[in-house]
Amino acid sequence: QVELAESGGGSVQAGGSLRLSCANSADTASGRLMAWFRQVPGKEREGVASIRAGDGMTYYGDSVKGRFTISQDNAETTVYLQMNGLRPEDTGMYYCAAEYNSPWYTPITALQPDKYSYWGQGTQVTVSS
């Protein structure tokens, strides 16, 4: 059983920073991919960033490149999303997702929500202008 728990959301002004955390309850990180997605009402879920356990390979959505950084702790049990230079358009519910032992991991598939089986409940991020 894999459970994901996000934390760290909140309200900030444009230009500010937030750090989201996602704790993974699984016993092993072997073969694991983890990613952050975001969604606003009426729009599709958007891939933000992803990271692969073991080699730490990362991918980012075009809208967050250079501003957001995904990382994981040494035990690979928690994944972080450091968000700098926040903009009002970054507002949304941010979800953590995980997948195990998938043969794919490309810049395109890494940020597709249908590639992930496990999801957290989400944490709200609100950026005001």
Side-chain angles (χ1 to χ4, degrees), residues 36-59:
W36 287 96
F37 293 82
R38 65 187 182 191
Q39 191 169 24
V40 295
K43 292 190 176 181
E44 294 185 353
R45 195 163 290 190
E46 175 190 7
V48 176
S50 67
I51 189 166
R52 181 166 64 186
D55 64 7
M57 181 175 288
T58 60
Y59 294 115

Side-chain angles (χ1 to χ4, degrees), residues 88-103:
E89 53 264 39
D90 293 318
T91 294
M93 185 69 77
Y94 282 69
Y95 296 92
C96 177
E99 184 56 72
Y100 289 82
N101 300 316
S102 288

Side-chain angles (χ1 to χ4, degrees), residues 49-74:
S50 67
I51 189 166
R52 181 166 64 186
D55 64 7
M57 181 175 288
T58 60
Y59 294 115
Y60 293 92
D62 289 341
S63 62
V64 306
K65 285 180 181 176
R67 299 188 298 124
F68 291 11
T69 303
I70 189 171
S71 62
Q72 56 195 0
D73 65 354
N74 289 337

